[in-house]
């Protein structure tokens, strides 16, 4: 009898989710003979009545590699342990999987979704394999997540565009980028796009340093500047900046320098939408294929991860324990400083 496996995507979307689904369909169904069921809207598809499930077959994979978002839909409000009806549906998932003859679930998601998957395995015995995704690239267990590179490309492209308009108008343009707890998108996008200042949560910023950088640029005949601000960056002495990290920088500079011509661009969900780039397509495909191999080897309870260039399985329980932030004493930060980027602190 063929193996019956489910796949779902949870949490915020990231470019490359469909490429993972495609790889699992092509390899799992096309080559291993699986029966593969797509569960819609994360775990909701197994909890809602009627359930939202669909059979995934190779001939339906056309155009998936380059398609953004996720054909299965997603949500970050679908925790089965505390579902939106106020009830705990974790056990129902186990019961439904048994009833459907589904051996296990491939769960593609960020840290929140991985924690749910880990709990389902430990508390309800639901066999799961995790595939990590987040544009933030802040999961400690993997050297890189798919979606990150495409987000960085988006920031780089935006900075290239903003550069010419900032230069033409002698303006300072502040660009707010995503990164809930970590400044990787800001650092990589900022370096790639030639930002003059990059502000990240790992390094609280000091207004004096920002002003000194703008002044230094004016003195060398560069009266325009690009400031990249991670959405979670904050000033020195203020742990939780309210009102938008980019707006805060604009307000502080405007107050200190009323004559400064300054504008704010918030890139927001542009960084998550659209096609995955080539790097993310390849990584997502490798992750999807590794998930199939792990399931075939009955290595449930593992999460796919990129380690030192190799895609391997690591224990899900370990993987959910650590998140990564930018190492302020590391090479990336030193490189930014070496090429004259002001990091604000
Ligand atoms: O974790 C990915 C991410 O895009 C963060 O960078 C951002 O803070 C958050 O999700 C935004 O979430 P939402 O789409 O729910 O607003």
């Amino acid at each position: 009898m063929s193996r019956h496996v489910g796949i779902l995507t949870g949490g915020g979307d990231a470019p490359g989710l469909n490429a993972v689904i495609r790889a699992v369909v092509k390899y799992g169904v096309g080559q291993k003979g699986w029966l593969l069921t797509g569960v819609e809207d994360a775990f909701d598809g197994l909890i809602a009545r009627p359930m939202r499930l669909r059979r995934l077959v190779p001939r339906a994979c056309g155009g998936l590699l380059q398609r953004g978002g996720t054909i299965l839909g997603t949500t970050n409000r679908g925790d089965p342990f505390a579902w939106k009806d106020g009830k705990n549906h974790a056990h129902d998932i186990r019961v439904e999987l048994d009833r459907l003859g589904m051996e296990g679930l491939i769960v593609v998601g960020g840290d929140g979704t991985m924690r749910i998957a880990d709990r389902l395995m430990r508390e309800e015995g639901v066999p799961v394999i995790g595939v990590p995704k987040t544009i933030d690239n802040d999961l400690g267990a993997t050297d890189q997540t798919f979606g990150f590179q495409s987000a960085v490309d988006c920031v780089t492209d935006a900075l290239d565009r903003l550069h010419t308009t900032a230069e033409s108008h002698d303006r300072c343009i502040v660009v707010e980028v995503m990164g809930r707890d970590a400044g990787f998108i800001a650092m990589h996008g900022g370096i790639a796009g030639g930002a003059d200042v990059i502000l990240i949560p790992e390094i609280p910023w000091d207004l004096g340093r920002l002003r000194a950088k703008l002044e230094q640029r004016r003195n060398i005949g560069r009266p325009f500047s690009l400031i990249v601000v991670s959405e979670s960056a904050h000033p020195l002495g203020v742990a939780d900046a309210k009102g938008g990290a980019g707006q805060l920088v604009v307000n502080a500079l405007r107050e200190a320098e009323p004559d400064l011509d300054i504008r704010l661009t918030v890139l927001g969900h542009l960084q998550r939408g659209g096609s995955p780039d080539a790097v993310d397509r390849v990584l997502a495909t490798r992750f999807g294929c590794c998930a199939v191999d792990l399931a075939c080897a009955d290595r449930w309870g593992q999460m796919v991860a990129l380690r030192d260039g190799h895609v391997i399985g690591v224990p899900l329980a370990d993987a959910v324990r650590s998140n990564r932030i930018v190492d302020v004493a590391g090479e990336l930060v030193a490189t930014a400083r070496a090429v004259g980027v002001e990091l604000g602190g």
Side-chain angles (χ1 to χ4, degrees):
M1 213 177 69
S2 56
R3 210 177 257 271
H4 184 186
V5 176
I7 182 168
L8 61 83
T9 52
D13 69 334
L17 285 169
N18 284 326
V20 174
I21 296 168
R22 171 183 177 269
V24 174
V25 175
K26 279 182 165 275
Y27 189 33
V29 180
Q31 297 206 35
K32 304 284 185 189
W34 287 8
L35 196 67
L36 184 68
T37 295
V39 180
E40 296 184 354
D41 302 324
F43 297 98
D44 283 15
L46 284 165
I47 300 171
R49 295 294 176 269
M51 285 192 286
R52 297 197 296 275
L53 308 173
R54 64 164 104 155
R55 181 70 50 81
L56 295 171
V57 291
R59 72 171 179 282
C61 282
L64 269 196
L65 184 60
Q66 56 271 51
R67 184 159 156 192
T70 161
I71 55 161
L72 292 176
T74 186
T75 175
N76 33 24
R77 295 200 195 88
D79 182 353
F81 291 93
W83 209 51
K84 39 203 166 205
D85 61 359
K87 295 190 185 136
N88 181 343
H89 289 276
H91 185 66
D92 303 344
I93 289 180
R94 169 84 241 193
V95 170
E96 289 306 334
L97 292 188
D98 288 347
R99 199 180 56 77
L100 294 161
M102 235 189 259
E103 202 173 312
L105 282 175
I106 294 177
V107 175
V108 192
D111 52 353
T113 309
M114 288 306 139
R115 276 189 201 102
I116 292 170
D118 180 52
R119 215 175 144 193
L120 277 174
M121 176 116 188
R122 280 186 294 106
E123 295 182 19
E124 295 294 338
V126 174
V128 292
I129 282 166
V131 178
K133 68 83 229 180
T134 165
I135 65 163
D136 295 350
N137 205 27
D138 62 351
L139 294 185
T142 179
D143 294 347
Q144 187 153 334
T145 47
F146 64 85
F148 171 65
Q149 195 59 52
S150 304
V152 168
D153 289 351
C154 172
V155 174
T156 308
D157 178 56
L159 289 175
D160 288 349
R161 290 165 187 270
L162 293 168
H163 198 133
T164 58
T165 173
E167 184 170 18
S168 304
H169 285 266
D170 293 345
R171 269 183 178 151
C172 175
I173 298 192
V174 175
V175 187
E176 184 184 299
V177 304
M178 279 186 167
R180 196 174 32 205
D181 303 305
F184 292 107
I185 295 176
M187 286 302 293
H188 285 257
I191 292 172
D196 306 297
V197 179
I198 302 174
L199 305 179
I200 57 174
E202 294 85 349
I203 305 178
W205 55 267
D206 170 49
L207 181 62
R209 293 185 69 125
L210 265 58
R211 295 186 62 197
K213 179 68 182 177
L214 301 189
E215 180 63 13
Q216 179 214 349
R217 286 183 55 75
R218 283 191 286 264
N219 290 341
I220 57 164
R222 312 286 275 168
F224 69 96
S225 293
L226 290 177
I227 302 182
V228 171
V229 184
S230 175
E231 64 176 335
S232 44
H234 50 87
L236 260 176
V238 183
D240 188 15
K242 299 268 185 300
Q247 189 64 57
L248 214 68
V249 172
V250 170
N251 293 347
L253 280 169
R254 256 196 199 132
E255 197 182 317
E257 302 190 21
D259 291 337
L260 186 69
D261 194 359
I262 187 165
R263 294 288 188 278
L264 173 65
T265 299
V266 179
L267 290 185
H269 291 79
L270 283 173
Q271 296 158 95
R272 283 206 337 222
S275 291
D277 73 358
V279 170
D280 283 336
R281 291 181 200 189
V282 174
L283 188 59
T285 302
R286 293 172 73 193
F287 276 12
C289 290
C290 182
V292 171
D293 280 334
L294 291 174
C296 286
D298 282 323
R299 287 174 62 191
W300 301 101
Q302 300 256 304
M303 187 188 84
V304 169
L306 181 71
R307 294 269 179 91
D308 300 325
H310 300 282
V311 175
I312 57 167
V314 298
L316 186 56
D318 296 349
V320 297
R321 252 178 235 133
S322 68
N323 272 24
R324 203 148 46 91
I325 57 171
V326 173
D327 175 6
V328 297
E331 182 262 340
L332 185 64
V333 163
T335 298
R337 290 203 165 110
V339 295
V341 177
E342 173 58 57
L343 296 172

